[in-house]
Amino acid sequence: MRTRSLLALVLAAGGLLAGPNATALPSADAAPDISLANVQTHLNQLQTIATDNGGNRAHGRPGYRASIDYVQAQLNAAGYTTSLQPFTSSGATGWNLIADWPGGDPNAVLMAGGHLDSVSAGPGINDNGSGSAGLLEVALTVARTNFQPQKHLRFGWWGAEELGLVGSTYYVNNLPAAERTKIKGYLNFDMIGSPNPGYFVYSSSGQPTGSIELQRALEAHFTTIGVPTELTSVGGRSDHAAFARAGIPTGGLFTGAEVTMTAAQAQKWGGTSGVAFDRCYHRSCDTTSNIHATALDRNSDAIATAIWSLSGTGTPPGPRFENTTPVTIPDVSTVESPITVSGVPGNAPSTLSVGVNITHTYRGDLVVDVLAPDGTAYNIHNRAGASADDLVGTFTVNASSEVANGTWKLRVRDAASADVGRVNSWNLQF
């Protein structure tokens, strides 16, 4: 969050089960619980990146690019369509990371974002690793549950926020007018794990028409768990500002920065009065030790609740099956990984979705087929990609002539020498 004085949904979706006889996952029609452990894993990774790159993840520094690469790799593996948007600020190149979840109405986009850069003085784990990590885990949960909302979901991780909201402003300013009108709401998450936390929701007052709906959606989870919130006017301190100027409804969550907690707030939230919400704001001590786990957990769940409720429930997806047992791909060899499908009536769809996550040092060596229970092969990759690493993505095959139930297989052939790899996981979405 930029420096300036501060202006005064729940059913748990099932997780993926590993093993060759994978279990069907329930369709997602209510916000799932977001794993605190997973969010903390992302924060630990951002801390490691900062530690290995001069102690920060600031714009123009290697730690920022490494942070972008980490988040993008997670999203690519989950089936998102991602893109990097470069821009220049203070003589250095920065990047915004945009991730689109396939499906939904392209003319009705719900977007959520947060900045990924830190100040140069520290690793920025609360500001704003917390918002970035919570948002990432919500996005991965969208994929894990195969959520299929009516609106199109888009996520953004912004660069150079600490230099004046540079990345998000660049993104909004470079959207064609027709594309701006497609964004029906933008949710911002900047500092959601402050160590002496308040529970603030961006006020819709003075914001574009429609912002009240976002405010109420963000308040909903806290109401459910009995935690009081306060409305706050964040003004131009964070990345929602550019969207608001463009007339896009905005909302967000915030646990406080350099301002001190009042006695009334301490009584309400159990914090310490007379102490800043975040004593390590923009300092070197903004590490993983500077995070309040309960606040991080509550806010991550609130993000999911808002996104699920605001995006609308679409047509429930069919059952999904996954095998997460790794299979080594030796050089010049063929391996198979099975999934047993049961409980699906009739034939497979004409748009059977096949997700694969394969690590390989030369994907141009690979021929990848999906084998139906009767042995019919459907090719999804045939030695394309030249010397690029790995094969991660989602493919569609017309399997409408195949009976759905039975044992399906992913067959991977390494057709040339000198490189090896591994099937990390694959899935079938009916």
Side-chain angles (χ1 to χ4, degrees):
M1 177 165 282
R2 292 183 61 205
T3 302
R4 218 174 46 163
S5 62
L6 179 64
L7 300 173
L9 75 96
V10 183
L11 296 174
L16 301 184
L17 301 180
N21 296 319
T23 300
L25 303 178
S27 62
D29 55 10
D33 179 68
I34 301 302
S35 167
L36 173 62
N38 288 356
V39 179
Q40 291 172 321
T41 295
H42 302 317
L43 286 181
N44 289 336
Q45 185 61 37
L46 294 178
Q47 176 68 68
T48 298
I49 288 170
T51 301
D52 292 345
N53 290 279
N56 67 68
R57 301 179 302 100
H59 167 76
R61 309 291 180 86
Y64 179 70
R65 181 54 197 251
S67 300
I68 281 282
D69 290 344
Y70 169 74
V71 175
Q72 186 176 31
Q74 297 285 314
L75 295 163
N76 285 344
Y80 279 83
T81 300
T82 66
S83 61
L84 290 180
Q85 182 185 45
F87 59 87
T88 300
S89 180
S90 300
T93 300
W95 295 272
N96 294 322
L97 170 59
I98 309 301
D100 285 270
W101 179 238
D105 183 352
N107 294 310
V109 176
L110 177 65
M111 190 167 188
H115 74 92
L116 189 55
D117 64 315
S118 74
V119 293
S120 59
I125 299 305
N126 186 38
D127 185 15
N128 179 42
S130 61
S132 293
L135 194 66
L136 173 59
E137 188 55 30
V138 170
L140 296 179
T141 303
V142 165
R144 198 173 292 124
T145 60
N146 197 34
F147 183 40
Q148 299 293 319
Q150 293 172 340
K151 289 188 176 72
H152 177 78
L153 293 182
R154 180 176 299 156
F155 297 87
W157 285 263
W158 312 117
E161 188 266 4
E162 299 290 4
L163 300 184
L165 316 180
V166 178
S168 56
T169 301
Y170 183 87
Y171 173 78
V172 174
N173 288 351
N174 283 274
L175 279 176
E179 292 302 313
R180 289 189 197 178
T181 62
K182 294 177 182 179
I183 302 177
K184 305 306 180 184
Y186 171 75
L187 300 171
N188 194 62
F189 304 106
D190 189 354
M191 302 178 66
I192 63 169
S194 301
N196 190 35
Y199 292 93
F200 297 102
V201 176
Y202 290 12
S203 173
S204 60
S205 178
Q207 298 303 303
T209 301
S211 296
I212 185 63
E213 181 184 1
L214 277 62
Q215 175 192 310
R216 289 170 177 164
L218 290 164
E219 292 169 327
H221 176 71
F222 297 103
T223 300
T224 299
I225 63 175
V227 173
T229 58
E230 287 186 12
L231 295 179
T232 185
S233 176
V234 182
R237 290 194 71 180
S238 197
D239 294 298
H240 66 291
F243 291 86
R245 285 194 299 271
I248 296 168
T250 60
L253 298 175
F254 179 43
T255 50
E258 78 281 14
V259 170
T260 57
M261 181 180 284
T262 67
Q265 290 170 331
Q267 184 176 14
K268 177 166 54 179
W269 291 322
T272 305
S273 65
V275 174
F277 294 106
D278 185 355
R279 288 175 289 184
C280 289
Y281 176 65
H282 284 186
R283 298 173 59 193
S284 61
C285 57
D286 187 10
T287 66
T288 50
S289 299
N290 192 45
I291 292 291
H292 192 285
T294 299
L296 184 68
D297 190 22
R298 288 171 172 172
N299 279 277
S300 297
D301 287 337
I303 293 172
T305 298
I307 287 176
W308 256 252
S309 65
L310 290 167
S311 58
T313 302
T315 302
R320 171 179 159 123
F321 301 80
E322 182 169 58
N323 186 340
T324 58
T325 301
V327 178
T328 299
I329 308 170
D331 199 23
V332 193
S333 66
T334 300
V335 300
E336 293 181 348
S337 174
I339 287 177
T340 299
V341 173
S342 61
V344 180
N347 285 8
S350 60
T351 55
L352 178 65
S353 175
V354 183
V356 299
N357 186 326
I358 298 173
T359 299
H360 199 276
T361 50
Y362 198 102
R363 71 174 178 230
D365 287 357
L366 299 179
V367 179
V368 183
D369 298 300
V370 177
L371 304 183
D374 67 359
T376 302
Y378 296 84
N379 181 257
I380 60 173
H381 177 82
N382 190 1
R383 304 195 65 177
S387 61
D389 292 345
D390 307 336
L391 180 63
V392 179
T394 302
F395 305 86
T396 300
V397 298
N398 183 353
S400 57
S401 63
E402 307 291 342
V403 173
N405 293 330
T407 299
W408 296 71
K409 296 178 181 179
L410 186 74
R411 182 175 65 193
V412 181
R413 179 167 67 94
D414 186 319
S417 61
D419 292 273
V420 297
R422 183 181 65 249
V423 178
N424 298 308
S425 65
W426 73 288
N427 64 74
L428 294 170
Q429 175 69 59
F430 285 84

